Amino acid sequence: MKMRSMTPMRVAKTGYILMSLIFCALGLLFILRPDQSLAVMGRVLGIAMIAFGAFKLVGYFSRDLYRLAFQYDLEFGILLVVLGIIVLPRSEDVMGVLAAALGIAILADGLFKARIATDSRAFGIRDWWVILVLAVITCGAGGLLVLRPWQGARLLARLLGVSLLCEGGLNLCVAVSTVKIIDHQHPDVIEVEYTGI
């Protein structure tokens, strides 16, 4: 039987890890330097969202062993690409455009990752509870970003940074904990035995 190519899964896992680290770095930048040029940070974030969306789409179609990490990534991959495309031309006004849209995406991703955590528990993955805790924290950060209880630009930039840091950490944990690459994986087949009548 022909072996399945692991290249798409390796690309997706590596991209997930890389983009998670970039989101964490951008989050730290927004937290530590909220007055930095928002236009530049907005462009970088727009490009990062498009790239992460592309990696999510690759992950969705890679058919990883557990089918956990990438199960909701068709929708989120498309959403991130669209948000990235929306943010790029409006990078000067990144805070107003981005806060609500990214907050909704982060909140939704946290909710779906909470589901992945419960599915991981059923699969026997020991770190399922870490995913669940990070998902709850990410939901809280995304919810605050949507509600924006503070109106100041600096506070909003820092809240955006916290949300990006939570999102990056959550995706990093999910990629490392639930994406297993087995070199000699066979393609999915359904074995049936046909008996003539």
Side-chain angles (χ1 to χ4, degrees):
M1 184 181 296
K2 184 179 176 184
M3 298 291 175
R4 176 188 299 162
S5 172
M6 296 294 105
T7 303
M9 207 176 315
R10 287 184 204 285
V11 168
K13 184 174 183 175
T14 302
Y16 238 75
I17 291 170
L18 178 66
M19 295 311 300
S20 296
L21 292 173
I22 289 172
F23 272 39
C24 288
L26 283 172
L28 286 173
L29 188 61
F30 272 103
I31 292 168
L32 299 174
R33 313 276 270 171
D35 295 328
Q36 199 95 36
S37 170
L38 291 178
V40 172
M41 289 172 36
R43 281 189 199 99
V44 171
L45 187 56
I47 292 167
M49 286 191 296
I50 292 169
F52 201 17
F55 283 121
K56 283 181 173 283
L57 291 172
V58 170
Y60 179 79
F61 291 108
S62 71
R63 312 216 4 112
D64 69 301
L65 182 63
Y66 292 147
R67 311 276 198 284
L68 288 174
F70 307 129
Q71 64 182 319
Y72 303 111
D73 280 357
L74 176 64
E75 298 83 1
F76 272 130
I78 293 169
L79 178 64
L80 281 176
V81 169
V82 169
L83 283 176
I85 291 169
I86 290 170
V87 166
L88 274 176
R90 295 176 178 85
S91 53
E92 308 81 37
D93 186 31
V94 71
M95 298 313 271
V97 173
L98 192 59
L102 196 57
I104 290 168
I106 289 172
L107 176 62
D109 194 38
L111 292 171
F112 283 121
K113 292 295 193 299
R115 175 59 190 254
I116 288 172
T118 59
D119 291 346
S120 297
R121 181 179 182 195
F123 271 88
I125 295 174
R126 287 182 305 201
D127 296 334
W128 68 270
W129 64 272
V130 176
I131 297 170
L132 183 61
V133 168
L134 289 173
V136 169
I137 292 169
T138 301
C139 284
L144 281 175
L145 195 56
V146 171
L147 297 175
R148 287 184 276 182
W150 306 283
Q151 293 302 319
R154 289 173 58 102
L155 286 174
L156 190 56
R158 286 195 169 117
L159 183 57
L160 179 60
V162 168
S163 299
L164 287 171
L165 189 60
C166 290
E167 177 72 5
L170 175 61
N171 281 301
L172 183 63
C173 182
V174 168
V176 170
S177 299
T178 65
V179 180
K180 303 300 179 202
I181 299 173
I182 298 175
D183 287 327
H184 304 291
Q185 187 176 350
H186 294 285
D188 294 335
V189 294
I190 299 174
E191 295 183 23
V192 294
E193 193 173 305
Y194 177 75
T195 57
I197 297 179

